[in-house]
Amino acid sequence: MQPWIAALGSVLLHLLVLLVAMLSPPITMSKPQGDAAGGSRVEVNFIGESPPEPTLTPPDTAPASEPAEAAPAAPRIQTTQVAQAEDPLPADTAATSNAPTPSRIPRPAQRPAPPAPATSPPPTSQRRSPTWGQPPGMLVEDHAPVNAGPARSPAAESGRRYNASGSEPNLEVGGYQVVYDLRSETRLRAWRDQGMTELFLPLPGTRQYMVCPLETALKRESGPCRLLAPNDPEMANIGDAREVITVQQVYRRGERVWTGPRPYR
């Protein structure tokens, strides 16, 4: 009988709760008090801004006519046009300033309001230069005396000088550059044992000879030389370089004026 007794007790308990809910008085809401009831407007005053004063127009007075477009006020900042500014404006600011001003739509005439008390303008944020924050040495500057752009060279063109690699020995003098290779090391050592210290080589386009150290050619290195006239007395103790080295290419101010593999004469 316990399940039946439990079921009967549960039904009686629910009926008792339902009866209490039906006999309790209903909850009534109180009507709102004040001007804000019924969805009326609320006046809000912002801190730091004075509310505009309403102006009344007499019924017997017609509103004064106002021009369709008011004249722009004079700017407070005096500007001076220059050829090249130190801190130019960004592209977006320049594009905005050059955009045409849209035409204004005429508004209905209104009576001017009384002047408001003078107040200080709100503080404006200072605009920083577009180049602010760059490390030293990264700013574009004109260093060339001619109109060669922002280059660090005194000339507009760096030249067409031939740069030989480390495996190509070359001899240089007066704008000439001779790329060579050692052909007879035995004869060159014999000349050195006889007391010879320099070698001469004719150059195309000039009557002077290129005179280079013998040790430079013996070690297959690159180095500077000097120019000497053919009838100079020093030519008696200088050997002909064409007998011990093979000339591959000759450059003059970066332009190739002779190339092998034919014999150099």
Side-chain angles (χ1 to χ4, degrees):
M1 299 296 291
Q2 292 182 358
W4 292 99
I5 296 174
L8 182 60
S10 176
V11 172
L12 294 177
L13 180 61
H14 282 77
L15 291 177
L16 180 60
V17 172
L18 180 61
L19 182 60
V20 172
M22 294 176 63
L23 295 178
S24 61
I27 301 176
T28 57
M29 304 294 295
S30 61
K31 295 182 178 181
Q33 303 294 333
D35 296 336
S40 61
R41 294 179 295 178
V42 179
E43 182 179 0
V44 179
N45 294 333
F46 293 93
I47 299 177
E49 297 182 4
S50 59
E53 297 181 0
T55 57
L56 299 178
T57 305
D60 56 347
T61 305
S65 60
E66 184 180 2
E69 182 177 356
R76 298 182 179 179
I77 302 177
Q78 299 296 332
T79 60
T80 304
Q81 297 183 358
V82 295
Q84 181 177 3
E86 297 180 358
D87 297 328
L89 293 177
D92 54 350
T93 306
T96 305
S97 62
N98 296 332
T101 305
S103 60
R104 298 183 180 179
I105 302 176
R107 298 176 297 177
Q110 296 181 0
R111 188 173 183 178
T119 57
S120 59
T124 57
S125 59
Q126 184 179 4
R127 180 184 295 273
R128 294 178 176 176
S129 173
T131 57
W132 182 86
Q134 295 186 5
M138 297 298 294
L139 301 179
V140 178
E141 299 179 3
D142 294 336
H143 295 275
V146 297
N147 189 13
R152 298 183 180 273
S153 173
E157 184 180 2
S158 59
R160 296 176 295 175
R161 177 180 176 84
Y162 171 75
N163 295 324
S165 60
S167 59
E168 297 179 348
N170 59 89
L171 305 173
E172 300 181 13
V173 64
Y176 287 90
Q177 194 173 16
V178 179
V179 181
Y180 73 98
D181 192 9
L182 183 59
R183 181 175 59 184
S184 178
E185 183 178 356
T186 305
R187 181 177 296 182
L188 196 58
R189 291 184 180 276
W191 287 356
R192 186 186 61 177
D193 296 341
Q194 296 175 5
M196 189 178 300
T197 58
E198 291 180 321
L199 304 174
F200 75 89
L201 191 68
L203 295 174
T206 179
R207 296 181 180 275
Q208 294 179 318
Y209 287 167
M210 170 190 283
V211 179
C212 304
L214 185 144
E215 291 293 335
T216 302
L218 184 60
K219 297 179 181 179
R220 296 184 70 257
E221 295 179 349
S222 301
C225 303
R226 63 185 180 123
L227 293 175
L228 200 62
N231 55 356
D232 194 283
E234 297 183 14
M235 294 296 299
N237 299 325
I238 299 177
D240 192 349
R242 293 171 292 183
E243 299 181 7
V244 293
I245 66 174
T246 301
V247 179
Q248 298 177 350
Q249 294 174 349
V250 179
Y251 294 87
R252 183 178 183 272
R253 302 188 185 278
E255 297 183 1
R256 187 168 56 185
V257 295
W258 188 89
T259 182
R262 63 183 187 272
Y264 185 75
R265 294 288 183 265

